Each structure stands twice: as C-alpha cells, then as structure tokens.
C-alpha cells in the first residue's frame, strides 16, 4: 500500500507551529537578556551612587570630627580672646582713656598718642576646608606714642600696663633719646629722656565667607 505523498505546503503548515514557538522562545530569551542586562546596569549604577554618597557622608563626618577636635583644643584660647576683646571692634576712645589712667597712676609726663588708619588682612583656610560658612579677618592699627621720661623706669611701667591691659597690643619698636643735660640743676622734675614707641594693635572679625574675595 503506497503512502500518500506530502506536499511542501503541508510540510510548511506542519512546521509553522514549532517555528512560531521557537521564535517566541527566542524573542523571550533575548528580551530577558536585555532586561537582565539593564537590571544589572541599574543595580551597578545604584551601587555606585550609594558608595559615592557614603564616601561623601564619611568625608563630611571626618570634617565634622576634625572641626570638633579643633574647637575642643582651642575653645579656651578662643574664650580668652573674646574676654580680651580681641574679637570686638576697636574702641579707640577706651584706649585713650586707659592711657590717661596709666599716666595718672604712675604720675607720668603728658603722653602723645597717634592712631593710624586700620589695616585689614583676610586669613585664608587650609586646603582641606572647601566651603567654610564664614571667614576671619585680621585687623591691624599702628599706634605711635611719645612718652617723656624722668628715667627708664617710667617707660617700663607704661609698657607693662599698656600691653597688659587685655588688648592684643604688641611693641613693634621703642627708642629713647636724651633731652636734658645731666648738669641741669633744679628741684623741679625734668624730662631727661623722650621715648618714641610704635605698637601694633590686633583685632579679629568673623565675617560671612566670600569665595570671590580670595580671587
């Protein structure tokens, strides 16, 4: 008995479903591959962002710890500066009043005081500080004092009281010149010498940080 011969059309019809199923499985596999690849990229991107944020937070924590350490180590010095009015504006009237009191207390000759214009110097941060909230500026005023002397001890008394009065005042230079002859006779006290001294008066100011000021 002869078997009926299958035509090409019948063979193709018979293979249509397996081919269709194969294509569906193939497309599904490709889609799953790209989905898995995209998911892996997203996961790696998320992991990278998390690590970057962790590094940033860790850096901020370290910066805060360093700042706290600096504050702890220098809080006493800062409080002392505040008490000594180093962090305040200059009070030139009060300085002249203190000179008057020193003169009266030690019965000195009239003292001439000249105050020059205040200079400003911005203090820079170290490279580890990127975005400070505020900055410090150092203010400097030069003070010229002419002090007639009966003897050198008058100058020593003045220097002790003037530079030790709470302000940050440093002696820059001091010269003493003879003004009266040793042969001068009389019971009236004379100014035998003249002291000419220059002092540096320092103060500091806390100011809002301006990143363009250092450019």
């Amino acid at each position: 008995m002869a078997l009926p011969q299958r035509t090409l059309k019948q063979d193709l019809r018979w293979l249509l479903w397996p081919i269709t199923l194969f294509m569906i499985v193939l497309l599904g596999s490709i889609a799953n591959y790209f989905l898995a690849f995209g998911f892996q990229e997203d996961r790696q991107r998320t992991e990278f962002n998390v690590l970057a944020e962790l590094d940033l937070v860790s850096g901020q924590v370290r910066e805060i710890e360093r700042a706290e350490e600096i504050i702890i180590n220098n809080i006493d010095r800062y409080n002392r500066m505040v008490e000594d009015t180093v962090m305040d504006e200059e009070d030139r009237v009060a300085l002249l009043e203190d000179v008057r009191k020193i003169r009266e207390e030690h019965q000195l000759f009239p003292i001439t005081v000249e105050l020059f214009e205040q200079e400003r110097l911005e203090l820079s941060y170290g490279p580890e500080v990127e975005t400070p909230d505020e900055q410090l500026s150092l203010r400097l005023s030069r003070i010229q004092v002419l002090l007639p002397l009966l003897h050198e001890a008058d100058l020593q008394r003045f220097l002790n009281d003037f530079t030790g009065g709470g302000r940050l005042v440093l002696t820059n230079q001091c010269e003493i010149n003879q003004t009266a002859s040793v042969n001068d006779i009389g019971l009236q006290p004379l100014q035998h010498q003249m002291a000419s001294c220059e002092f540096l008066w320092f103060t500091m100011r806390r100011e809002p940080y301006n990143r363009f000021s250092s450019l």
Side-chain angles (χ1 to χ4, degrees):
M1 179 178 180
L3 295 175
Q5 293 185 352
R6 298 176 61 89
T7 64
L8 179 61
K9 185 176 182 181
Q10 289 175 334
D11 291 339
L12 292 176
R13 187 182 300 113
W14 183 82
L15 292 175
L16 179 61
W17 170 246
I19 293 174
T20 303
L21 181 61
F22 173 77
M23 293 300 297
I24 293 174
V25 172
L26 179 62
L27 292 176
S29 300
I30 296 174
N32 289 333
Y33 171 79
F34 283 105
L35 287 175
F37 183 77
F39 174 78
Q40 183 179 7
E41 282 192 338
D42 291 340
R43 186 174 60 83
Q44 291 178 346
R45 190 181 302 109
T46 302
E47 182 179 356
F48 176 79
N49 293 336
V50 170
L51 292 176
E53 292 181 1
L54 181 60
D55 290 340
L56 177 61
V57 172
S58 299
Q60 292 175 344
V61 170
R62 288 193 297 269
E63 185 174 342
I64 292 173
E65 290 176 348
R66 286 196 299 267
E68 289 179 347
E69 183 179 358
I70 293 174
I71 292 174
I72 293 173
N73 294 336
N74 296 277
I75 188 65
D76 293 338
R77 184 179 302 176
Y78 176 80
N79 291 335
R80 178 64 182 275
M81 292 172 64
V82 173
E83 292 175 0
D84 291 344
T85 68
V86 176
M87 303 300 297
D88 295 339
E89 290 282 2
E90 287 184 355
D91 190 343
R92 299 192 169 199
V93 175
L95 182 136
L96 295 176
E97 178 63 18
D98 288 346
V99 171
R100 185 189 66 80
K101 292 179 180 179
I102 295 173
R103 175 177 176 262
E104 290 181 354
E105 180 179 356
H106 298 294
Q107 298 181 352
L108 303 176
F109 290 109
I111 302 172
T112 302
V113 180
E114 184 177 4
L115 284 164
F116 294 90
E117 183 178 357
Q118 188 183 69
E119 303 174 23
R120 178 182 180 276
L121 175 63
E122 180 180 316
L123 301 181
S124 59
Y125 286 89
E128 67 278 2
V129 181
E130 297 181 357
T131 55
D133 295 329
E134 58 183 20
Q135 64 188 20
L136 290 175
S137 64
L138 183 66
R139 309 298 178 93
L140 166 64
S141 292
R142 299 181 185 275
I143 307 172
Q144 189 71 36
V145 174
L146 294 178
L147 175 63
L149 305 174
L150 183 61
H151 43 71
E152 288 84 352
D154 288 342
L155 177 60
Q156 186 62 46
R157 297 188 189 99
F158 176 80
L159 291 177
N160 289 340
D161 291 354
F162 187 65
T163 59
R167 302 178 183 87
L168 184 53
V169 176
L170 304 180
T171 304
N172 188 34
Q173 61 180 8
C174 234
E175 296 180 354
I176 299 178
N177 296 315
Q178 197 77 23
T179 59
S181 171
V182 295
N183 297 323
D184 290 339
I185 302 176
L187 300 178
Q188 185 70 23
L190 297 176
Q191 54 183 56
H192 298 288
Q193 298 169 324
M194 175 67 73
S196 175
C197 299
E198 182 184 66
F199 301 93
L200 305 179
W201 182 10
F202 293 98
T203 55
M204 300 182 70
R205 296 291 298 162
R206 298 171 58 179
E207 303 172 348
Y209 178 71
N210 180 11
R211 65 187 182 92
F212 297 105
S213 61
S214 59
L215 298 179

